[in-house]
Amino acid sequence: MKLIPISAGNFHCDGGALFSVIPKKLWSKMYPADVNNFTKLALRCLLVDAGEKKILIETGIGNHFPEKHLQNNGVENWEILEDSLNQNGYAVDEITDVFFTHLHWDHCTGAVKSNNGKLEPVFPNANYWCSKSQWEHSKISNAREKAAYYTDVLDFIFNTGKLNLVEKEGEVFTNIEVRFFDGHTPGQMIPFIHTENKTVVYMADLIPTSANIPLLWLAAYDLYPVKALEEKEKFLEEAAKNGYILFFEHDFYTECATVTKTPKGFAEKERFSWAERR
């Protein structure tokens, strides 16, 4: 099994939103912001090459959004997903499966492209995977979260007949198990990838950056913060005990890290790129 980071560009968000109630005096020492208080974030996908299966986790943003939307969200290089795959020796038609941790716009809309007013799949031979509870929630979400779902793309994916709705935790692909985390959004589906003697966890929005590792450093985007806190604490206990590698989707500066538990709480133990541990 090979794990290959794939870039789908960058974007930004407000630092206060990324770290919620944590004062800027503290979080700005851990994660920089520009003069407008924007923090730069990655759209870092992960390709799992398991031989016959070529599984792409997340797909970035795609070309659906007006220029104003892209500017407001600091979106850069959204078009490089296919180039990043090509540079690593893969073509879009080789991708057999596209895995969505959840269905917010910055995680899944890059699986589809707009072409002269029509939607087309970027990965013509792929099946899609998300949790059933996240799919159902995307249809009834409240006003606070509704803007995060791009209905036209989601309906297009569903209407391909190739969307698999995962109902139970456990192994979805060989050596890839999933668990559900509901604090950020109901049914966020996190993959635990077992390769050789390592477990790599694709963090998505469970822990968006390494700076979010400390327990109380939650993002304001979490729909249910108390639930997110409980889930995060349980996960970090396990990750510290078992030496999991955390692979960050959104951390612009840190690709991977391990964690430790100290008398003051959970903290980053070591940071590195995946290439350093292959």
Side-chain angles (χ1 to χ4, degrees):
M1 179 186 287
K2 293 190 292 185
L3 275 57
I4 304 164
I6 300 293
S7 177
N10 308 306
F11 71 126
H12 69 208
C13 77
D14 183 84
L18 185 59
F19 296 105
S20 189
V21 299
I22 303 302
K24 184 178 181 180
K25 184 176 181 179
L26 297 180
W27 65 251
S28 60
K29 297 177 182 179
M30 302 294 294
Y31 205 95
D34 66 15
V35 294
N36 295 313
N37 211 46
F38 286 129
T39 54
K40 194 165 188 175
L41 300 176
L43 296 163
R44 185 180 294 113
C45 312
L46 183 62
L47 178 62
V48 181
D49 183 342
E52 291 185 4
K53 287 283 188 181
K54 308 287 191 298
I55 305 157
L56 183 64
I57 302 174
E58 311 285 60
T59 61
I61 288 169
N63 68 337
H64 315 286
F65 301 99
E67 187 63 28
K68 184 177 180 180
H69 178 89
L70 299 179
Q71 290 177 354
N72 288 343
N73 289 280
V75 177
E76 299 174 335
N77 302 321
W78 57 263
E79 72 281 3
I80 68 170
L81 175 61
E82 294 184 44
D83 287 341
S84 184
L85 283 167
N86 292 339
Q87 289 169 10
N88 283 281
Y90 296 88
V92 292
D93 58 4
E94 292 181 81
I95 303 302
T96 61
D97 298 271
V98 173
F99 183 108
F100 302 130
T101 62
H102 58 296
L103 298 174
H104 290 170
W105 71 286
D106 56 310
H107 294 260
C108 70
T109 52
V112 177
K113 59 185 174 184
S114 296
N115 188 2
N116 295 321
K118 295 183 178 181
L119 297 180
E120 299 176 355
V122 171
F123 308 100
N125 299 318
N127 291 303
Y128 309 97
W129 301 79
C130 78
S131 76
K132 183 178 181 182
S133 56
Q134 170 65 182
W135 171 259
E136 292 175 344
H137 174 75
S138 72
K139 298 302 180 185
I140 60 170
S141 183
N142 57 46
R144 182 176 180 272
E145 190 188 18
K146 188 175 181 180
Y149 295 109
Y150 192 58
T151 303
D152 289 350
V153 167
L154 298 184
D155 288 345
F156 175 85
I157 291 172
F158 182 82
N159 290 332
T160 65
K162 300 170 74 175
L163 178 62
N164 298 274
L165 298 176
V166 181
E167 298 186 46
K168 297 180 180 179
E169 296 183 325
E171 194 171 75
V172 173
F173 304 101
T174 302
N175 294 321
I176 302 177
E177 64 169 305
V178 300
R179 300 186 198 173
F180 301 147
F181 295 83
D182 300 320
H184 176 64
T185 184
Q188 181 177 208
M189 186 168 69
I190 299 296
F192 289 62
I193 305 162
H194 306 293
T195 173
E196 298 176 357
N197 61 342
K198 299 184 278 288
T199 295
V200 179
V201 187
Y202 187 89
M203 296 313 303
D205 286 336
L206 176 60
I207 302 177
T209 75
S210 62
N212 292 101
I213 288 173
L215 190 58
L216 298 180
W217 293 43
L218 297 170
Y221 300 107
D222 292 336
L223 201 59
Y224 305 107
V226 174
K227 179 68 173 176
L229 184 68
E230 294 169 349
E231 293 174 334
K232 181 179 176 182
E233 182 173 24
K234 184 177 179 180
F235 169 76
L236 286 171
E237 289 276 5
E238 182 180 344
K241 179 181 178 180
N242 296 313
Y244 291 165
I245 294 174
L246 280 56
F247 185 97
F248 297 107
E249 180 171 12
H250 288 320
D251 194 320
F252 183 79
Y253 308 97
T254 302
E255 195 169 85
C256 301
T258 54
V259 297
T260 186
K261 188 175 183 180
T262 75
K264 293 184 177 181
F266 296 102
E268 179 187 292
K269 181 178 181 181
E270 181 185 8
R271 66 173 61 185
F272 48 91
S273 69
W274 177 249
E276 293 172 328
R277 292 298 175 91
R278 287 195 212 193

